Amino acid sequence: MFVNVIAIDGPAASGKSTVASLLAERLHIPYINTGNMYRAITWKTLHCGIDLKKSGTAELNTMLDHTELFYQENSKGEFVLVIDGAALGDEIRTAEIAGLVSTVAAMPVVRAWLLERQRRMAELGLIVMEGRDIGTVVFPDAEYKFFITASPTIRAQRRLQQSGETFDGATLKSVARDIAERDRIDSTRKIAPLRQAEDAHLIDTTELTIEQVVELVVSELKM
Ligand code: DC
């Protein structure tokens, strides 16, 4: 039995978020960005002053026990991420969070905690869910699976053009190095590493426009 999910995975800055959000808009279905959920937890650890290197997992467990995180539909029909009653925006898209989130996402307690909440979202009906392990771990039975990649240089260029995600003075070289480091942590972690599901459609977006990628995805959907 398939689960009613369009799973979109891929490495950082491959263009998957843009594709996933345009696709959801076009199909009028919820768009769930699981990277933002990992960023939200990272944001809260910083906000609570938890030093992950020093404190181990005890403080983190207590924090998670006192955290509520979910996607909620707003008056415009968009699904927004809400943590402890407050909607999160650009505060999770900083260079500081980008530099720490892969480490937080490698922690088993965080993954288990978020996995439970991500799976519950299938109750919303057909959704687009985007991340690193959606087609492999969160929804291995997703009806549709896509793995979106692009060359390292193109990914670094795209990231450099996004505001807020890089440190002041960042160069193509420094951004490429940061992305490579995130890829390394994301694909070598023990639990749910970044990898393409065997039954996922691979789309290399290096030489494609966003519109072309969305068309390619739509052409694979039988609806
Ligand atoms: O998509 P993003 O760059 O905003 O994701 C932020 C981090 O979260 C990324 O470094 C890896 C992690 N992540 C993950 O481990 N599993 C997911 N399903 C989504 C994101």
Side-chain angles (χ1 to χ4, degrees):
M1 253 306 260
F2 286 130
V3 182
N4 241 352
V5 170
I6 301 172
I8 300 193
D9 290 304
S14 57
K16 63 186 188 313
S17 300
T18 314
V19 172
S21 79
L22 286 175
L23 183 68
E25 210 175 282
R26 181 156 160 175
L27 300 176
H28 305 290
I29 59 175
Y31 161 47
I32 307 298
N33 178 330
T34 61
N36 282 351
M37 300 176 89
Y38 285 95
R39 285 169 183 265
I41 295 303
T42 307
W43 174 84
K44 190 165 175 184
T45 60
L46 288 171
H47 197 69
C48 294
I50 298 177
D51 182 343
L52 295 168
K53 286 194 191 92
K54 283 195 198 133
S55 60
T57 55
E59 272 184 76
L60 186 62
N61 274 321
T62 310
M63 184 196 94
L64 291 173
D65 283 346
H66 295 89
T67 301
E68 268 190 33
L69 181 72
F70 47 82
Y71 268 92
Q72 194 174 45
E73 194 171 3
N74 68 12
S75 55
K76 291 187 211 146
E78 299 156 344
F79 279 77
V80 291
L81 189 57
V82 174
I83 190 160
D84 302 329
L88 278 168
D90 284 346
E91 58 269 53
I92 57 171
R93 310 219 71 84
T94 64
E96 188 184 22
I97 289 184
L100 193 62
V101 62
S102 285
T103 306
V104 174
M107 304 185 87
V109 300
V110 174
R111 297 209 76 83
W113 193 89
L114 282 177
L115 181 64
E116 206 184 303
R117 283 153 183 83
Q118 289 159 1
R119 286 194 172 147
R120 267 188 231 149
M121 286 174 200
E123 291 164 12
L124 293 170
L126 182 64
I127 56 170
V128 177
M129 186 175 274
E130 176 232 314
R132 301 290 191 288
D133 61 340
I134 312 306
T136 50
V137 174
V138 183
F139 291 114
D141 298 325
E143 188 160 8
Y144 301 103
K145 297 183 188 179
F146 298 91
F147 194 83
I148 311 261
T149 60
S151 74
T153 311
I154 283 287
R155 288 164 56 205
Q157 282 170 0
R158 288 178 184 162
R159 182 48 47 97
L160 205 51
Q161 281 159 10
Q162 283 167 348
S163 60
E165 285 268 327
T166 48
F167 286 109
D168 287 345
T171 60
L172 195 60
K173 206 170 158 192
S174 71
V175 173
R177 198 182 46 226
D178 292 347
I179 289 180
E181 176 59 4
R182 270 176 72 188
D183 284 354
R184 189 191 64 74
I185 301 175
D186 291 344
S187 30
T188 57
R189 65 173 175 238
K190 288 207 178 75
I191 302 176
L194 164 69
R195 68 175 177 81
Q196 184 187 340
E198 276 173 21
D199 50 352
H201 295 280
L202 174 66
I203 302 180
D204 185 335
T205 69
T206 307
E207 294 185 359
L208 299 177
T209 63
I210 287 296
E211 292 73 24
Q212 286 172 319
V213 182
V214 174
E215 285 310 321
L216 260 178
V217 171
V218 170
S219 71
E220 295 288 346
L221 307 178
K222 297 174 204 77
M223 43 180 73

